[in-house]
Every structure is written in C-alpha cells, then in structure tokens.
C-alpha cells in the first residue's frame, strides 16, 4: 500500500493547477444513464473514484471512451470522456459496488426515470457517519415510485413512468437533490424541489442536464423547478473546478507560508472559506487566472467556524481548517453540523502534537507553537489530506499511510505540492 512521506518546513511558492471537481464529475457521469445518446464530459479529474464509477456505469451498459490527447495537451489537464448508454443492460447496482462508493447509489434516479425500475444496494455504513438514504426514498416515492427494501436493496418500480410532484426536503441533502433533479427531468409534468441543496455542483449538473434538453429553473437556490420532458439527448459539458481541492491548497499555503496561484480556481464558489482564511491571516486575491494565496511570516489567528450547507463553510474543508488552526495563536472552535462522526483526524493530528479537545460536535483547538512529524493514517479522504497539510508544517518526517483515500479525491497531490517546493514523495509498497 502506498504511503506519502513529507519533510515539513518548506514554504509553498508557485502555481497549482486546479482539477475538475470530483463531486461534480460523479453526478455528471451518472447523468449519462438518462439518454441513449452520447454525453461528452471535459475536464474530468483522474481520480480513483472516477475510475470506479466508470466500472460501475459499465455494468449498467454505459460505454465509456476516453479521448486521446491532443497536441499540446499534457497529463495536467483532465480527461475527456464520451459516455454512451445506448442500451441499459442491467438496472441492478450490487452491494460490492455501492458499498465501495456511496455516490454510486445515485444511479437509482436515472435508472427508475428511464427504465421504470431499479434495484440498488443500500450503501451501508461509512467512516464519517451513518448516512442514511431515507430522503432519496421519500423523494422518489413523491414522484410516484413504489419502493421496497429487499435483501439489503432498494427496489424501485414505476412501470408507467414517474410523475412530477412537490418534493420538500426536511434537511438539505446534496445527493438526494441531484437524484431528484435527474429523475424529475424525465417525469411527466412539473416537479418543485423545496429546501434543495444550493451547492455549485447542483448548478453544474443542472446546466449539463439543460444542455441535454431538460427544463430546469432555480438550481443554486432553495427552490428548483423541473418541467419533465420525454427524452434527453447528446451534450458536451466541462466539469467545474474543484472548490474543495482549491480550499485545501489555500489552507496548505496559509499553513506553510509562501505565495501560490491556484490556477483555474473560481473565487465565487469559495466565499466563506476564503473569508475564514483571511481571518486566519492569509492574504487572498482573485485574479483573471485564479486565486492568489499568500502568507508572510506573521502568526495565525484562531477562528470560530460552523460547517453548513452551501454557501456556509463546507464540511469537506473542516479537517483541513482544523489542521491549519492547530498552529494558531489562541483557541479555535470548529462545530461540525453535517456529519456526526467527522472527527477521525483529531486523534491523528494529536500524534503530530496538536492540542484538540472534543465536546460533542465541537472541536476546541488550542494552538501550539510547533508540530512534530510522525506516522499517521486516516479513514477518509478529507481527514487524510488534513494530515498532509499538518505534515507540511511539522518538524521532521511525517508519513501518511493509506494513501488510497487521498487518491480517491486529489489528483497528483504529491506532484502539485512538490512543484511548489514541498518535500513530499510517494513511497510505493
Ligand atoms: N442524509 C440523510 N438522509 C438521506 C440523505 C442524507 O439523513 O437520505 C443526511 C446525511 O447523513 C448527512 C446530511 O444529510 O448528515 C447531508 O448529506 P448529503 O446528502 O448532503 O451528502 P452526500 O450527498 O452524501 C455530498 C458529497 C460529500 C459532502 C456532502 C455534504 C459527493 C459525492 N459527496 O455527500 O463529499 O461532504 O455532500 O456537502 O458529492 C467528500 O467529497 O469527501 C464528501 C464526503
């Protein structure tokens, strides 16, 4: 199993190209199930989760072709994929697949909408919380699907097709908003989603579905209107830049000091995290080509932050922020409100010398003047990268184990950080 070895202490200087967003690419790829014509996606990040989803979609009958490189293109730009679901050969998504990547549960939306049936395994437990699927089930029932749970699977049927309706989510859910939007795109009549997730990835999916022929208004607000159509067709869409990757590298620069251009990043979808970073002591400026992050030798200030659905502070940056404020001059409070168990990084950061105390859903982080390198590991993607950030500032050597978590969501992390002066390398087993 690969590991990442970091020798801390170097500032970061240079340019980091931001990749296409994992959490946009996954639902966009799943949307290919809605049409027999080809969906072409540009700027798809080369990630383990994307590779896994290609295999899962292949099982349902999606033909996935990767475009060859064009002249002048290098490994730094994302892939272009042609996804063609000419015929759906299987409407079942088995446990072996769904348990390895939760987002693959989302195929339930397009499958029931296009084929009138789907049998998708319940995803099961997850390292960051229980993550039930009740809100997906309620939403699909609202659109007229019959749903049973049988042998650990959600069995959905709508032999005469789905029918538009009003879907009111009792809490904000990104996944169930994606799925309802995809299902309603092919339902008869109008669907209104209330208390919809407003994440930029929802807007990206809505834009792609619109190019495919869907009629969607209001994506990015709490109320989305979808007028169902009979069929969707071919389209070409470029995956939006990854706001979590951007925020992660911005925090790394704030941690180590230095001056880095996050190329291709979009400040408009990162307002809250960038505001928090400024409070901590980083200098942030938007340029035509991306976001510039700088910090000189000055100390870091503590912050009080609560995670919340967009436009609030993202739970997917909570672990990275915690690593950063481990070295602040004072005490920070970080409250996690989205997932009940997203603090696995706390014990690992403690191994590097952090002083963090948990009080229910609040982490109380007392800044320390130095972190010291150690062996660490984590059980999810964002927790793992928080250990990389801490390692960049720790004295001596940090080895992050279980790198496959990082490979699920960060493209070529050691190259991107190494290119800016970090002493970081991958140790292959
Ligand atoms: N929830 C329910 N019932 C449901 C669905 C969700 O109770 O039927 C709960 C969840 O357990 C959670 C909350 O609602 O407590 C919000 O979950 P949401 O559905 O919004 O999350 P998700 O769609 O499963 C996506 C991202 C996550 C990100 C969250 C929140 C993808 C592939 N995943 O998950 O990303 O943390 O939204 O923003 O888009 C990551 O990339 O590391 C990651 C975990």
């Amino acid at each position: 199993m690969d590991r990442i070895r970091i020798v801390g202490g170097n500032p970061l200087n240079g340019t980091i190209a931001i990749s296409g967003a994992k959490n946009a690419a996954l639902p966009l790829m799943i949307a290919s199930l809605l049409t027999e014509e080809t969906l072409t996606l540009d700027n798809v990040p080369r990630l383990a989760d994307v590779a896994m989803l290609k295999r899962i979609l292949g099982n349902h009958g999606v033909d996935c072709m990767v475009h060859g490189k064009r002249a002048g293109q290098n490994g730094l730009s994302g892939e272009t994929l042609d996804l063609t679901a000419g015929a759906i050969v299987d409407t079942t998504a088995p446990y072996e697949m769904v348990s390895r990547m939760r987002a693959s549960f989302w195929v339930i939306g397009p499958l029931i909408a296009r084929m009138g049936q789907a049998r998708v395994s319940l995803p099961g437990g997850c390292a960051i919380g229980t993550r039930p699927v009740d809100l997906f089930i309620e939403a699909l029932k609202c659109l007229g699907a019959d749903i049973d749970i049988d042998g650990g699977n959600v069995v959905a049927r709508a032999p005469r097709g789905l029918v538009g309706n009003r879907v009111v989510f009792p809490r904000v859910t990104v996944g169930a908003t994606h799925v309802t939007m995809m299902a309603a795109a092919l339902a008869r009549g109008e669907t209104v989603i209330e208390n919809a997730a407003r994440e930029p990835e929802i807007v990206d999916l809505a834009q792609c579905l619109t190019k495919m022929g869907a009629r969607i208004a209001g994506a990015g607000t709490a109320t989305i209107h979808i007028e169902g159509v009979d069929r969707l067709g071919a389209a070409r869409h470029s995956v939006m830049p990854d706001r979590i990757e951007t925020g992660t590298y911005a925090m790394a620069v704030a941690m180590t000091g230095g001056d880095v251009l996050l190329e291709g990043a979009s400040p408009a979808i990162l307002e809250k995290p960038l505001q928090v970073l400024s409070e901590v002591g980083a200098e942030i400026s938007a340029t035509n080509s991306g976001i510039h992050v700088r910090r000189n030798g000055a100390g870091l200030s503590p912050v009080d932050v609560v995670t919340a659905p967009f436009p609030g502070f993202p739970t997917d940056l909570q672990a990275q922020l915690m690593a950063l404020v481990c070295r602040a001059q004072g005490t920070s409070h970080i409250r996690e409100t989205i997932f009940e168990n997203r603090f696995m990084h706390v014990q690992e950061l403690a191994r590097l010398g952090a002083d963090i105390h948990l009080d229910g859903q609040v982490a109380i982080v007392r800044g320390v003047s130095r972190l010291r390198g150690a062996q660490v590991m984590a059980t999810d993607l964002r927790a793992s990268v928080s250990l990389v950030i801490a390692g960049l500032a720790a004295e001596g050597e940090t080895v992050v184990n279980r790198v496959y978590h990082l490979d699920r969501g960060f493209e070529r992390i050691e190259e991107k950080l190494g290119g800016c002066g970090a002493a970081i390398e991958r140790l292959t087993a």
Side-chain angles (χ1 to χ4, degrees), residues 22-23 26 102-103 106 128 131-136 171-176 199 315-316 338-339 342 381-382:
K22 168 179 85 81
N23 289 349
L26 300 178
R102 286 188 62 85
W106 301 353
I128 60 178
R131 300 182 85 181
V133 292
D134 54 321
L135 303 177
F136 294 79
R171 69 180 294 181
V172 175
T173 155
V174 173
E199 268 63 8
T315 174
D316 289 346
I338 309 294
F339 294 110
R342 207 171 200 185
L381 163 63
R382 312 302 176 186

PDB file of all heavy atoms in Angstrom, residues 22-23 26 102-103 106 128 131-136 171-176 199 315-316 338-339 342 381-382, ligand 1:
ATOM      1  N   LYS A  22     -14.329  16.478  -8.245  1.00  0.00           N
ATOM      2  CA  LYS A  22     -14.825  15.108  -8.051  1.00  0.00           C
ATOM      3  C   LYS A  22     -16.335  15.105  -7.852  1.00  0.00           C
ATOM      4  O   LYS A  22     -17.053  14.335  -8.490  1.00  0.00           O
ATOM      5  CB  LYS A  22     -14.144  14.490  -6.819  1.00  0.00           C
ATOM      6  CG  LYS A  22     -14.806  13.190  -6.359  1.00  0.00           C
ATOM      7  CD  LYS A  22     -14.115  12.579  -5.159  1.00  0.00           C
ATOM      8  CE  LYS A  22     -14.544  13.112  -3.815  1.00  0.00           C
ATOM      9  NZ  LYS A  22     -15.792  12.559  -3.267  1.00  0.00           N
ATOM     10  N   ASN A  23     -16.819  15.973  -6.954  1.00  0.00           N
ATOM     11  CA  ASN A  23     -18.233  15.891  -6.580  1.00  0.00           C
ATOM     12  C   ASN A  23     -19.170  16.487  -7.623  1.00  0.00           C
ATOM     13  O   ASN A  23     -20.390  16.436  -7.464  1.00  0.00           O
ATOM     14  CB  ASN A  23     -18.471  16.526  -5.204  1.00  0.00           C
ATOM     15  CG  ASN A  23     -17.882  15.659  -4.100  1.00  0.00           C
ATOM     16  OD1 ASN A  23     -17.485  14.512  -4.355  1.00  0.00           O
ATOM     17  ND2 ASN A  23     -17.822  16.189  -2.892  1.00  0.00           N
ATOM     18  N   LEU A  26     -18.856  13.135 -10.606  1.00  0.00           N
ATOM     19  CA  LEU A  26     -19.586  11.880 -10.341  1.00  0.00           C
ATOM     20  C   LEU A  26     -21.054  11.978 -10.762  1.00  0.00           C
ATOM     21  O   LEU A  26     -21.521  11.143 -11.547  1.00  0.00           O
ATOM     22  CB  LEU A  26     -19.435  11.464  -8.869  1.00  0.00           C
ATOM     23  CG  LEU A  26     -17.991  11.209  -8.391  1.00  0.00           C
ATOM     24  CD1 LEU A  26     -17.963  10.845  -6.903  1.00  0.00           C
ATOM     25  CD2 LEU A  26     -17.309  10.107  -9.202  1.00  0.00           C
ATOM     26  N   ARG A 102     -20.269   5.516  -2.154  1.00  0.00           N
ATOM     27  CA  ARG A 102     -21.659   5.852  -1.851  1.00  0.00           C
ATOM     28  C   ARG A 102     -22.385   6.524  -3.006  1.00  0.00           C
ATOM     29  O   ARG A 102     -23.562   6.275  -3.231  1.00  0.00           O
ATOM     30  CB  ARG A 102     -21.726   6.809  -0.661  1.00  0.00           C
ATOM     31  CG  ARG A 102     -21.450   6.218   0.653  1.00  0.00           C
ATOM     32  CD  ARG A 102     -21.753   7.257   1.710  1.00  0.00           C
ATOM     33  NE  ARG A 102     -23.163   7.631   1.665  1.00  0.00           N
ATOM     34  CZ  ARG A 102     -24.119   6.965   2.281  1.00  0.00           C
ATOM     35  NH1 ARG A 102     -23.834   5.913   2.993  1.00  0.00           N
ATOM     36  NH2 ARG A 102     -25.364   7.364   2.182  1.00  0.00           N
ATOM     37  N   ALA A 103     -21.659   7.395  -3.738  1.00  0.00           N
ATOM     38  CA  ALA A 103     -22.338   8.160  -4.789  1.00  0.00           C
ATOM     39  C   ALA A 103     -22.914   7.231  -5.861  1.00  0.00           C
ATOM     40  O   ALA A 103     -23.806   7.637  -6.612  1.00  0.00           O
ATOM     41  CB  ALA A 103     -21.387   9.177  -5.403  1.00  0.00           C
ATOM     42  N   TRP A 106     -26.606   6.837  -6.388  1.00  0.00           N
ATOM     43  CA  TRP A 106     -27.358   7.858  -7.136  1.00  0.00           C
ATOM     44  C   TRP A 106     -27.858   7.357  -8.490  1.00  0.00           C
ATOM     45  O   TRP A 106     -28.715   7.990  -9.097  1.00  0.00           O
ATOM     46  CB  TRP A 106     -26.518   9.125  -7.313  1.00  0.00           C
ATOM     47  CG  TRP A 106     -26.071   9.746  -6.012  1.00  0.00           C
ATOM     48  CD1 TRP A 106     -26.448   9.370  -4.742  1.00  0.00           C
ATOM     49  CD2 TRP A 106     -25.160  10.839  -5.835  1.00  0.00           C
ATOM     50  NE1 TRP A 106     -25.826  10.165  -3.805  1.00  0.00           N
ATOM     51  CE2 TRP A 106     -25.039  11.070  -4.440  1.00  0.00           C
ATOM     52  CE3 TRP A 106     -24.447  11.645  -6.728  1.00  0.00           C
ATOM     53  CZ2 TRP A 106     -24.218  12.079  -3.918  1.00  0.00           C
ATOM     54  CZ3 TRP A 106     -23.633  12.646  -6.211  1.00  0.00           C
ATOM     55  CH2 TRP A 106     -23.521  12.860  -4.820  1.00  0.00           C
ATOM     56  N   ILE A 128     -17.644   8.456   8.021  1.00  0.00           N
ATOM     57  CA  ILE A 128     -17.907   9.789   8.581  1.00  0.00           C
ATOM     58  C   ILE A 128     -19.286   9.921   9.218  1.00  0.00           C
ATOM     59  O   ILE A 128     -19.651  10.984   9.691  1.00  0.00           O
ATOM     60  CB  ILE A 128     -17.693  10.904   7.534  1.00  0.00           C
ATOM     61  CG1 ILE A 128     -18.607  10.736   6.322  1.00  0.00           C
ATOM     62  CG2 ILE A 128     -16.239  10.965   7.109  1.00  0.00           C
ATOM     63  CD1 ILE A 128     -18.457  11.863   5.297  1.00  0.00           C
ATOM     64  N   ARG A 131     -25.135   8.148   7.494  1.00  0.00           N
ATOM     65  CA  ARG A 131     -25.510   8.485   6.110  1.00  0.00           C
ATOM     66  C   ARG A 131     -26.648   7.624   5.549  1.00  0.00           C
ATOM     67  O   ARG A 131     -26.461   6.842   4.620  1.00  0.00           O
ATOM     68  CB  ARG A 131     -24.282   8.427   5.205  1.00  0.00           C
ATOM     69  CG  ARG A 131     -23.219   9.404   5.656  1.00  0.00           C
ATOM     70  CD  ARG A 131     -22.017   9.404   4.762  1.00  0.00           C
ATOM     71  NE  ARG A 131     -22.150  10.264   3.600  1.00  0.00           N
ATOM     72  CZ  ARG A 131     -21.209  10.394   2.680  1.00  0.00           C
ATOM     73  NH1 ARG A 131     -20.097   9.720   2.778  1.00  0.00           N
ATOM     74  NH2 ARG A 131     -21.386  11.189   1.650  1.00  0.00           N
ATOM     75  N   PRO A 132     -27.857   7.777   6.101  1.00  0.00           N
ATOM     76  CA  PRO A 132     -28.998   7.015   5.588  1.00  0.00           C
ATOM     77  C   PRO A 132     -29.441   7.498   4.203  1.00  0.00           C
ATOM     78  O   PRO A 132     -28.949   8.520   3.713  1.00  0.00           O
ATOM     79  CB  PRO A 132     -30.096   7.291   6.624  1.00  0.00           C
ATOM     80  CG  PRO A 132     -29.698   8.545   7.312  1.00  0.00           C
ATOM     81  CD  PRO A 132     -28.206   8.665   7.201  1.00  0.00           C
ATOM     82  N   VAL A 133     -30.391   6.771   3.579  1.00  0.00           N
ATOM     83  CA  VAL A 133     -30.882   7.172   2.254  1.00  0.00           C
ATOM     84  C   VAL A 133     -32.398   7.434   2.284  1.00  0.00           C
ATOM     85  O   VAL A 133     -33.051   7.435   1.251  1.00  0.00           O
ATOM     86  CB  VAL A 133     -30.543   6.117   1.161  1.00  0.00           C
ATOM     87  CG1 VAL A 133     -29.052   6.067   0.915  1.00  0.00           C
ATOM     88  CG2 VAL A 133     -31.081   4.742   1.522  1.00  0.00           C
ATOM     89  N   ASP A 134     -32.934   7.665   3.491  1.00  0.00           N
ATOM     90  CA  ASP A 134     -34.380   7.885   3.623  1.00  0.00           C
ATOM     91  C   ASP A 134     -34.889   9.047   2.760  1.00  0.00           C
ATOM     92  O   ASP A 134     -35.993   8.985   2.208  1.00  0.00           O
ATOM     93  CB  ASP A 134     -34.740   8.116   5.106  1.00  0.00           C
ATOM     94  CG  ASP A 134     -33.917   9.239   5.742  1.00  0.00           C
ATOM     95  OD1 ASP A 134     -32.717   9.344   5.432  1.00  0.00           O
ATOM     96  OD2 ASP A 134     -34.472  10.010   6.533  1.00  0.00           O
ATOM     97  N   LEU A 135     -34.087  10.096   2.616  1.00  0.00           N
ATOM     98  CA  LEU A 135     -34.569  11.268   1.873  1.00  0.00           C
ATOM     99  C   LEU A 135     -34.652  10.990   0.370  1.00  0.00           C
ATOM    100  O   LEU A 135     -35.524  11.522  -0.321  1.00  0.00           O
ATOM    101  CB  LEU A 135     -33.675  12.484   2.157  1.00  0.00           C
ATOM    102  CG  LEU A 135     -33.569  12.856   3.648  1.00  0.00           C
ATOM    103  CD1 LEU A 135     -32.608  14.015   3.858  1.00  0.00           C
ATOM    104  CD2 LEU A 135     -34.949  13.212   4.210  1.00  0.00           C
ATOM    105  N   PHE A 136     -33.774  10.122  -0.126  1.00  0.00           N
ATOM    106  CA  PHE A 136     -33.861   9.702  -1.543  1.00  0.00           C
ATOM    107  C   PHE A 136     -35.163   8.928  -1.751  1.00  0.00           C
ATOM    108  O   PHE A 136     -35.881   9.129  -2.736  1.00  0.00           O
ATOM    109  CB  PHE A 136     -32.712   8.756  -1.925  1.00  0.00           C
ATOM    110  CG  PHE A 136     -31.338   9.348  -1.898  1.00  0.00           C
ATOM    111  CD1 PHE A 136     -30.657   9.519  -0.701  1.00  0.00           C
ATOM    112  CD2 PHE A 136     -30.702   9.715  -3.072  1.00  0.00           C
ATOM    113  CE1 PHE A 136     -29.382  10.044  -0.672  1.00  0.00           C
ATOM    114  CE2 PHE A 136     -29.424  10.245  -3.068  1.00  0.00           C
ATOM    115  CZ  PHE A 136     -28.760  10.412  -1.857  1.00  0.00           C
ATOM    116  N   ARG A 171     -34.290  18.275   5.452  1.00  0.00           N
ATOM    117  CA  ARG A 171     -32.952  18.838   5.662  1.00  0.00           C
ATOM    118  C   ARG A 171     -32.240  18.887   4.317  1.00  0.00           C
ATOM    119  O   ARG A 171     -32.628  18.177   3.391  1.00  0.00           O
ATOM    120  CB  ARG A 171     -32.149  18.032   6.691  1.00  0.00           C
ATOM    121  CG  ARG A 171     -31.742  16.651   6.244  1.00  0.00           C
ATOM    122  CD  ARG A 171     -30.954  15.912   7.303  1.00  0.00           C
ATOM    123  NE  ARG A 171     -29.653  16.541   7.545  1.00  0.00           N
ATOM    124  CZ  ARG A 171     -28.755  16.081   8.401  1.00  0.00           C
ATOM    125  NH1 ARG A 171     -29.025  14.995   9.109  1.00  0.00           N
ATOM    126  NH2 ARG A 171     -27.604  16.686   8.569  1.00  0.00           N
ATOM    127  N   VAL A 172     -31.228  19.728   4.242  1.00  0.00           N
ATOM    128  CA  VAL A 172     -30.548  19.901   2.948  1.00  0.00           C
ATOM    129  C   VAL A 172     -29.726  18.646   2.643  1.00  0.00           C
ATOM    130  O   VAL A 172     -28.948  18.194   3.485  1.00  0.00           O
ATOM    131  CB  VAL A 172     -29.622  21.135   2.988  1.00  0.00           C
ATOM    132  CG1 VAL A 172     -28.821  21.240   1.705  1.00  0.00           C
ATOM    133  CG2 VAL A 172     -30.441  22.394   3.212  1.00  0.00           C
ATOM    134  N   THR A 173     -29.904  18.102   1.456  1.00  0.00           N
ATOM    135  CA  THR A 173     -29.121  16.947   1.038  1.00  0.00           C
ATOM    136  C   THR A 173     -28.660  17.114  -0.404  1.00  0.00           C
ATOM    137  O   THR A 173     -29.480  17.302  -1.313  1.00  0.00           O
ATOM    138  CB  THR A 173     -29.890  15.619   1.210  1.00  0.00           C
ATOM    139  OG1 THR A 173     -29.370  14.637   0.297  1.00  0.00           O
ATOM    140  CG2 THR A 173     -31.379  15.753   0.974  1.00  0.00           C
ATOM    141  N   VAL A 174     -27.362  17.055  -0.583  1.00  0.00           N
ATOM    142  CA  VAL A 174     -26.773  17.222  -1.913  1.00  0.00           C
ATOM    143  C   VAL A 174     -27.178  16.043  -2.801  1.00  0.00           C
ATOM    144  O   VAL A 174     -27.707  16.209  -3.900  1.00  0.00           O
ATOM    145  CB  VAL A 174     -25.232  17.314  -1.811  1.00  0.00           C
ATOM    146  CG1 VAL A 174     -24.589  17.324  -3.179  1.00  0.00           C
ATOM    147  CG2 VAL A 174     -24.828  18.552  -1.019  1.00  0.00           C
ATOM    148  N   GLY A 175     -26.934  14.820  -2.307  1.00  0.00           N
ATOM    149  CA  GLY A 175     -27.169  13.626  -3.127  1.00  0.00           C
ATOM    150  C   GLY A 175     -28.623  13.489  -3.541  1.00  0.00           C
ATOM    151  O   GLY A 175     -28.920  13.241  -4.719  1.00  0.00           O
ATOM    152  N   ALA A 176     -29.551  13.655  -2.594  1.00  0.00           N
ATOM    153  CA  ALA A 176     -30.959  13.467  -2.943  1.00  0.00           C
ATOM    154  C   ALA A 176     -31.461  14.602  -3.833  1.00  0.00           C
ATOM    155  O   ALA A 176     -32.375  14.403  -4.645  1.00  0.00           O
ATOM    156  CB  ALA A 176     -31.809  13.320  -1.685  1.00  0.00           C
ATOM    157  N   GLU A 199     -25.544  23.822  -3.502  1.00  0.00           N
ATOM    158  CA  GLU A 199     -24.124  23.648  -3.806  1.00  0.00           C
ATOM    159  C   GLU A 199     -23.847  23.924  -5.290  1.00  0.00           C
ATOM    160  O   GLU A 199     -24.676  23.599  -6.155  1.00  0.00           O
ATOM    161  CB  GLU A 199     -23.709  22.202  -3.472  1.00  0.00           C
ATOM    162  CG  GLU A 199     -23.169  21.959  -2.066  1.00  0.00           C
ATOM    163  CD  GLU A 199     -24.165  22.239  -0.938  1.00  0.00           C
ATOM    164  OE1 GLU A 199     -25.353  22.486  -1.219  1.00  0.00           O
ATOM    165  OE2 GLU A 199     -23.734  22.221   0.235  1.00  0.00           O
ATOM    166  N   THR A 315     -18.335  21.188   5.050  1.00  0.00           N
ATOM    167  CA  THR A 315     -17.829  20.093   5.891  1.00  0.00           C
ATOM    168  C   THR A 315     -16.589  19.456   5.254  1.00  0.00           C
ATOM    169  O   THR A 315     -15.710  18.977   5.960  1.00  0.00           O
ATOM    170  CB  THR A 315     -18.916  19.020   6.126  1.00  0.00           C
ATOM    171  OG1 THR A 315     -18.333  17.924   6.816  1.00  0.00           O
ATOM    172  CG2 THR A 315     -19.536  18.508   4.839  1.00  0.00           C
ATOM    173  N   ASP A 316     -16.506  19.488   3.922  1.00  0.00           N
ATOM    174  CA  ASP A 316     -15.368  18.862   3.233  1.00  0.00           C
ATOM    175  C   ASP A 316     -14.061  19.639   3.420  1.00  0.00           C
ATOM    176  O   ASP A 316     -13.011  19.193   2.962  1.00  0.00           O
ATOM    177  CB  ASP A 316     -15.666  18.717   1.732  1.00  0.00           C
ATOM    178  CG  ASP A 316     -16.711  17.645   1.468  1.00  0.00           C
ATOM    179  OD1 ASP A 316     -17.000  16.852   2.382  1.00  0.00           O
ATOM    180  OD2 ASP A 316     -17.244  17.613   0.339  1.00  0.00           O
ATOM    181  N   ILE A 338     -22.862  18.674   9.731  1.00  0.00           N
ATOM    182  CA  ILE A 338     -23.393  17.874   8.614  1.00  0.00           C
ATOM    183  C   ILE A 338     -23.283  16.375   8.900  1.00  0.00           C
ATOM    184  O   ILE A 338     -24.239  15.625   8.704  1.00  0.00           O
ATOM    185  CB  ILE A 338     -22.651  18.202   7.285  1.00  0.00           C
ATOM    186  CG1 ILE A 338     -22.628  19.715   7.026  1.00  0.00           C
ATOM    187  CG2 ILE A 338     -23.285  17.453   6.112  1.00  0.00           C
ATOM    188  CD1 ILE A 338     -23.961  20.365   6.753  1.00  0.00           C
ATOM    189  N   PHE A 339     -22.125  15.928   9.342  1.00  0.00           N
ATOM    190  CA  PHE A 339     -21.927  14.501   9.631  1.00  0.00           C
ATOM    191  C   PHE A 339     -21.595  14.327  11.101  1.00  0.00           C
ATOM    192  O   PHE A 339     -20.858  15.136  11.678  1.00  0.00           O
ATOM    193  CB  PHE A 339     -20.801  13.928   8.757  1.00  0.00           C
ATOM    194  CG  PHE A 339     -21.153  13.919   7.301  1.00  0.00           C
ATOM    195  CD1 PHE A 339     -20.528  14.777   6.416  1.00  0.00           C
ATOM    196  CD2 PHE A 339     -22.134  13.064   6.805  1.00  0.00           C
ATOM    197  CE1 PHE A 339     -20.863  14.783   5.070  1.00  0.00           C
ATOM    198  CE2 PHE A 339     -22.481  13.064   5.460  1.00  0.00           C
ATOM    199  CZ  PHE A 339     -21.842  13.923   4.594  1.00  0.00           C
ATOM    200  N   ARG A 342     -17.385  13.095  11.956  1.00  0.00           N
ATOM    201  CA  ARG A 342     -16.334  13.517  11.030  1.00  0.00           C
ATOM    202  C   ARG A 342     -15.152  14.139  11.772  1.00  0.00           C
ATOM    203  O   ARG A 342     -14.662  15.197  11.402  1.00  0.00           O
ATOM    204  CB  ARG A 342     -16.898  14.474   9.989  1.00  0.00           C
ATOM    205  CG  ARG A 342     -16.102  14.397   8.713  1.00  0.00           C
ATOM    206  CD  ARG A 342     -16.700  15.126   7.576  1.00  0.00           C
ATOM    207  NE  ARG A 342     -16.140  14.611   6.325  1.00  0.00           N
ATOM    208  CZ  ARG A 342     -16.381  15.103   5.150  1.00  0.00           C
ATOM    209  NH1 ARG A 342     -17.187  16.119   5.006  1.00  0.00           N
ATOM    210  NH2 ARG A 342     -15.824  14.583   4.075  1.00  0.00           N
ATOM    211  N   LEU A 381     -11.106  10.585   3.025  1.00  0.00           N
ATOM    212  CA  LEU A 381     -10.347  11.422   2.117  1.00  0.00           C
ATOM    213  C   LEU A 381      -9.931  12.765   2.707  1.00  0.00           C
ATOM    214  O   LEU A 381      -8.765  13.150   2.656  1.00  0.00           O
ATOM    215  CB  LEU A 381     -11.300  11.611   0.919  1.00  0.00           C
ATOM    216  CG  LEU A 381     -11.096  12.675  -0.075  1.00  0.00           C
ATOM    217  CD1 LEU A 381      -9.774  12.422  -0.759  1.00  0.00           C
ATOM    218  CD2 LEU A 381     -12.233  12.604  -1.100  1.00  0.00           C
ATOM    219  N   ARG A 382     -10.885  13.502   3.257  1.00  0.00           N
ATOM    220  CA  ARG A 382     -10.576  14.862   3.724  1.00  0.00           C
ATOM    221  C   ARG A 382      -9.737  14.815   5.003  1.00  0.00           C
ATOM    222  O   ARG A 382      -8.894  15.680   5.226  1.00  0.00           O
ATOM    223  CB  ARG A 382     -11.855  15.671   3.936  1.00  0.00           C
ATOM    224  CG  ARG A 382     -12.856  15.611   2.783  1.00  0.00           C
ATOM    225  CD  ARG A 382     -12.299  16.088   1.459  1.00  0.00           C
ATOM    226  NE  ARG A 382     -13.272  15.925   0.372  1.00  0.00           N
ATOM    227  CZ  ARG A 382     -13.003  16.150  -0.901  1.00  0.00           C
ATOM    228  NH1 ARG A 382     -11.792  16.506  -1.303  1.00  0.00           N
ATOM    229  NH2 ARG A 382     -13.930  15.980  -1.822  1.00  0.00           N
TER     230      ARG A 382
HETATM  231  N1  LIG B   1     -28.918  12.438   4.892  1.00  0.00           N
HETATM  232  C1  LIG B   1     -29.949  11.750   5.471  1.00  0.00           C
HETATM  233  N2  LIG B   1     -30.752  11.020   4.656  1.00  0.00           N
HETATM  234  C2  LIG B   1     -30.573  10.966   3.292  1.00  0.00           C
HETATM  235  C3  LIG B   1     -29.515  11.690   2.717  1.00  0.00           C
HETATM  236  C4  LIG B   1     -28.693  12.428   3.562  1.00  0.00           C
HETATM  237  O1  LIG B   1     -30.143  11.770   6.682  1.00  0.00           O
HETATM  238  O2  LIG B   1     -31.353  10.272   2.617  1.00  0.00           O
HETATM  239  C5  LIG B   1     -28.022  13.211   5.787  1.00  0.00           C
HETATM  240  C6  LIG B   1     -26.581  12.722   5.728  1.00  0.00           C
HETATM  241  O3  LIG B   1     -26.386  11.604   6.553  1.00  0.00           O
HETATM  242  C7  LIG B   1     -25.817  13.940   6.188  1.00  0.00           C
HETATM  243  C8  LIG B   1     -26.642  15.094   5.611  1.00  0.00           C
HETATM  244  O4  LIG B   1     -27.935  14.550   5.330  1.00  0.00           O
HETATM  245  O5  LIG B   1     -25.834  14.002   7.579  1.00  0.00           O
HETATM  246  C9  LIG B   1     -26.093  15.707   4.340  1.00  0.00           C
HETATM  247  O6  LIG B   1     -25.791  14.683   3.427  1.00  0.00           O
HETATM  248  P1  LIG B   1     -25.775  14.920   1.848  1.00  0.00           P
HETATM  249  O7  LIG B   1     -26.845  14.068   1.246  1.00  0.00           O
HETATM  250  O8  LIG B   1     -25.833  16.380   1.578  1.00  0.00           O
HETATM  251  O9  LIG B   1     -24.347  14.365   1.464  1.00  0.00           O
HETATM  252  P2  LIG B   1     -23.948  13.428   0.228  1.00  0.00           P
HETATM  253  O10 LIG B   1     -24.724  13.825  -0.973  1.00  0.00           O
HETATM  254  O11 LIG B   1     -23.948  12.020   0.640  1.00  0.00           O
HETATM  255  C10 LIG B   1     -22.105  15.033  -0.697  1.00  0.00           C
HETATM  256  C11 LIG B   1     -20.645  14.927  -1.005  1.00  0.00           C
HETATM  257  C12 LIG B   1     -19.869  14.828   0.303  1.00  0.00           C
HETATM  258  C13 LIG B   1     -20.148  16.084   1.110  1.00  0.00           C
HETATM  259  C14 LIG B   1     -21.657  16.225   1.355  1.00  0.00           C
HETATM  260  C15 LIG B   1     -22.036  17.492   2.073  1.00  0.00           C
HETATM  261  C16 LIG B   1     -20.493  13.829  -3.148  1.00  0.00           C
HETATM  262  C17 LIG B   1     -20.119  12.633  -3.926  1.00  0.00           C
HETATM  263  N3  LIG B   1     -20.376  13.751  -1.829  1.00  0.00           N
HETATM  264  O12 LIG B   1     -22.449  13.859   0.016  1.00  0.00           O
HETATM  265  O13 LIG B   1     -18.495  14.792  -0.065  1.00  0.00           O
HETATM  266  O14 LIG B   1     -19.480  16.013   2.340  1.00  0.00           O
HETATM  267  O15 LIG B   1     -22.349  16.207   0.077  1.00  0.00           O
HETATM  268  O16 LIG B   1     -21.613  18.598   1.376  1.00  0.00           O
HETATM  269  O17 LIG B   1     -20.872  14.847  -3.707  1.00  0.00           O
HETATM  270  C18 LIG B   1     -16.234  14.139   0.115  1.00  0.00           C
HETATM  271  O18 LIG B   1     -16.080  14.546  -1.045  1.00  0.00           O
HETATM  272  O19 LIG B   1     -15.261  13.843   0.865  1.00  0.00           O
HETATM  273  C19 LIG B   1     -17.596  14.014   0.641  1.00  0.00           C
HETATM  274  C20 LIG B   1     -17.895  13.254   1.695  1.00  0.00           C
END
